[in-house]
């Protein structure tokens, strides 16, 4: 299948990219791993494509003490190889296949906002943010959108026409904090039927001081559930994680589709949340990631 006709723009720097976007309100082309199939299947028909692949300043991964900033052109494979964030690295192993990871970008996956995708859940459970830029007259205006406001619906994010997501920020896990990502997919590399990303923090006496999960494939956006209160009243070895996981199960609203029933997806969330919380707690106990 072939895409519908469009005008192609290939700006060489960020200023030119933002000016072009402000003028033509076209679609940004990053790795093309979701956009090109959608064009070829005629699910979208933008009149203009703004290819950002020549804007060198959008590349790179910056490791800071408090977290990691990933540029809009950093590919999945590059970020995984850099090993800059243990939870991100773990999630990236579950994203698609090597050829797609070599081309697809972390920021593109966030903007694409597929409810079954892994990286939105990582951003959401960590409380990260996305930096969005636009051109206003001669000025370049930036805003940081927190994860809780970034995912606005299935395949919808807070990035508006004329805007460009320039980077994403993933806060570090911190001391005595562990993370885990568990999912079930029909084949390795497929989108998950359901998945759960968990982060757990322990104090010196092995009590849980914070615990959160983000569930994928079971709602229009990543479903974040704070289970810290329910987990914090006894030492971690005595915790009934299955009971805690039931909180996640009751928060999700899965739907039936050709791949799985809603009931099966809800069952998976219970099993995966228990496993992810247990694994994250184990990692936290050994000092964190
Ligand atoms: C066979 C196959 C299997 C896959 N399996 C998985 C999987 O298991 N898990 C998973 O999470 N993903 C999966 N994907 C999807 C893919 O990994 C991501 O959606 C892709 O990496 C998105 O990044 P990209 O750079 O390719 O974005 P593109 O395809 O270039 O763009 C996607 C969308 O985001 C917008 N966009 C991209 N970057 C920006 C930006 N910087 N600013 C503003 N808008 C932007 C585009 O305009 C477009 O609307 C799969 C894809 C394929 C083809």
């Amino acid at each position: 299948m072939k895409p519908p006709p469009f005008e192609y723009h290939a700006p060489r720097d960020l200023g030119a990219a933002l000016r072009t976007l402000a003028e033509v309100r076209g679609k940004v082309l990053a790795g093309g791993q979701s956009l090109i199939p959608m064009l070829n299947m005629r699910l979208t028909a933008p009149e203009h494509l703004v290819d950002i692949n020549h804007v060198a300043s959008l590349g790179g991964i910056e490791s800071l003490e408090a977290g990691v900033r990933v540029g809009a052109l950093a590919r999945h494979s590059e970020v995984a190889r850099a090993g800059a964030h243990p939870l991100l690295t773990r999630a990236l192993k579950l994203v698609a296949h090597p050829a797609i990871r070599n081309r697809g970008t972390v920021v593109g996956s966030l903007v694409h906002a597929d409810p079954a995708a892994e990286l939105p859940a990582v951003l959401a459970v960590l409380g990260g943010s996305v930096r969005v830029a636009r051109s206003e007259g001669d000025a370049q205006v930036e805003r940081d959108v927190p994860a809780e406001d970034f995912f606005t619906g299935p395949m919808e994010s807070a990035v508006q026409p004329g805007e460009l997501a320039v980077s994403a920020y993933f806060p570090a896990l911190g001391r005595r904090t562990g993370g885990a990502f568990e999912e079930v997919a029909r084949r390795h590399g497929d989108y998950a039927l359901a998945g759960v990303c968990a982060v757990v923090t322990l104090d010196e006496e092995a009590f849980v001081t914070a615990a959160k999960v983000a569930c994928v494939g079971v709602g229009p956006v990543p479903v974040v559930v704070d289970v810290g209160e329910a987990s914090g009243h006894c030492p971690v070895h005595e915790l009934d994680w299955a009971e805690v996981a039931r909180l996640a199960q009751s928060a999700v609203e899965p739907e039936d589709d050709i791949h799985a029933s809603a009931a099966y997806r809800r069952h998976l969330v219970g099993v995966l949340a228990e496993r992810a919380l247990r694994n994250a707690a184990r990692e936290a106990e050994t000092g964190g990631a």
Side-chain angles (χ1 to χ4, degrees):
M1 280 194 278
K2 289 193 174 69
F6 55 80
E7 204 172 314
Y8 174 77
H9 306 263
R12 298 273 154 178
D13 60 55
L14 181 57
L18 295 179
R19 282 192 299 279
T20 308
L21 275 170
E23 199 182 310
V24 303
R25 303 260 148 170
K27 275 244 166 226
V28 172
L29 172 67
Q33 297 307 297
S34 291
L35 183 57
I36 299 296
M38 286 181 76
L39 288 170
N40 288 346
M41 287 187 274
R42 308 259 171 153
L43 295 172
T44 182
E47 286 177 18
H48 298 266
L49 277 198
V50 182
D51 181 347
I52 58 170
N53 283 280
H54 303 289
V55 182
S57 65
L58 292 173
I61 304 156
E62 193 185 355
S63 282
L64 310 157
E65 205 173 314
V68 181
R69 184 165 293 286
V70 176
L73 278 183
R75 318 284 171 186
H76 299 312
S77 53
E78 189 187 341
V79 178
R81 257 196 320 275
H85 194 295
L87 189 54
L88 194 50
T89 308
R90 206 167 276 155
L92 281 165
K93 290 194 180 128
L94 301 169
V95 174
H97 311 282
I100 291 159
R101 294 200 292 266
N102 281 342
R103 196 70 199 154
T105 63
V106 166
V107 171
S109 174
L110 298 175
V111 178
H112 187 58
D114 191 312
E118 288 84 0
L119 303 185
V122 175
L123 192 84
V125 83
L126 292 172
S129 58
V130 178
R131 185 160 292 170
V132 178
R134 68 178 188 283
S135 176
E136 255 183 33
D138 288 340
Q140 190 173 306
V141 182
E142 285 188 349
R143 62 192 176 107
D144 282 328
V145 186
E148 71 230 49
D149 301 328
F150 189 75
F151 304 105
T152 52
M155 324 294 247
E156 280 176 19
S157 75
V159 178
Q160 299 297 315
E163 290 188 319
L164 177 69
V166 290
S167 63
Y169 177 67
F170 295 87
L173 285 176
R175 227 185 127 260
R176 281 181 75 76
T177 300
F181 206 123
E182 301 291 335
E183 70 174 36
V184 169
R186 291 173 71 236
R187 291 172 305 194
H188 178 71
D190 279 8
Y191 276 107
L193 296 177
V196 177
C197 180
V199 173
V200 173
T201 306
L202 302 180
D203 67 12
E204 300 304 330
E205 276 80 48
F207 277 72
V208 175
T209 57
K212 252 189 215 176
V213 295
C215 310
V216 309
V218 286
V221 296
V223 182
V224 178
V225 189
D226 190 333
V227 295
E229 176 60 25
S231 326
H233 303 293
C234 64
V236 73
H237 298 290
E238 293 165 26
L239 251 173
D240 183 353
W241 285 116
E243 184 66 33
V244 176
R246 272 194 275 281
L247 291 177
Q249 229 179 353
S250 55
V252 300
E253 290 172 8
E255 287 181 5
D256 292 316
D257 65 18
I258 54 164
H259 303 299
S261 67
Y264 180 55
R265 284 196 161 95
R266 190 182 292 285
H267 166 75
L268 284 181
V269 168
V271 174
L272 296 171
E274 179 184 350
R275 199 177 294 164
L277 283 161
R278 206 183 281 286
N279 288 343
R282 196 170 296 135
E283 189 174 79
E285 241 192 321
T286 54

